[in-house]
Amino acid sequence: MAEWKGIIGNSFSADSFDSYCHTLTWSTWRPSFIVLHNTGIPSLTQRPNGFNKDQINGLQSYYRDDQNWKAGPHLFIDDRQIWVFTPLTVSGTHSPSWNKLALGIEMLGDYEHEPFDSGRGLAVRKNAVQAIATLSAILGLFPDSLKLHREDPLTTHACPGKNVRKLEIIQEVMDLMIKRHAGEHPIKPAA
Ligand SMILES: [Zn+2]
């Protein structure tokens, strides 16, 4: 029986997630990049209010007891909040080639079919971009190191769906990181 690594099971706003991550230290394991996923099932339609604590606990039972895995993904991001699942300071289980190297972020939705640029899909996208920007800044990861699960040569999952375009996400993360840190490098207005 695999030893389950436990979950944090708390949800954060983008701002409180940033504060939370600043309290963490990556001493035994340090991720080199981030892998982005979508849940597929459940879709946004199947979770009209995003995730709640019971559902997060249910996911723990699924990964631990049904899959018999040691861990799951690190984050579940919905249109309202960022749920920390597997502790960010230990390796997770989400992408066969990259579990030892990467953080795994699940976005609620089926972006093969659900829009990622409007409505609730856009809200998920914005929360995901914020979370990726926070983790990239704190861990010193280049945003263009981001990978999609479907790029893993050992997976056959079309994850996340076609509506998630990697270069757009990378650009949005970079724009946000520049905006957040703008005050550190003030540009003098022309005299
Ligand atoms: Zn995936």
Side-chain angles (χ1 to χ4, degrees), residues 36-38 94 106 149-150 157 159-160:
L36 193 57
H37 303 256
N38 74 178
H94 53 88
E106 288 278 354
H149 184 196
R150 62 176 180 252
H157 292 240
C159 167

Side-chain angles (χ1 to χ4, degrees), residues 97-159:
S97 298
W98 297 325
N99 287 329
K100 288 196 167 61
L101 298 172
L103 291 166
I105 298 182
E106 288 278 354
M107 301 184 290
L108 173 63
D110 171 4
Y111 298 112
E112 192 66 24
H113 303 105
E114 292 178 314
F116 194 51
D117 57 1
S118 63
R120 296 180 62 212
L122 179 59
V124 172
R125 176 184 187 141
K126 286 182 174 172
N127 281 339
V129 166
Q130 300 234 37
I132 294 167
T134 283
L135 289 165
S136 299
I138 291 176
L139 287 161
L141 307 177
F142 290 107
D144 62 2
S145 67
L146 181 76
K147 293 192 187 297
L148 304 180
H149 184 196
R150 62 176 180 252
E151 296 180 89
D152 183 339
L154 291 182
T155 194
T156 53
H157 292 240
C159 167

Side-chain angles (χ1 to χ4, degrees), residues 77-93:
I77 297 180
D78 63 32
D79 49 330
R80 299 183 174 190
Q81 61 222 315
I82 297 164
W83 289 91
V84 180
F85 194 73
T86 296
L88 290 156
T89 51
V90 302
S91 62
T93 306

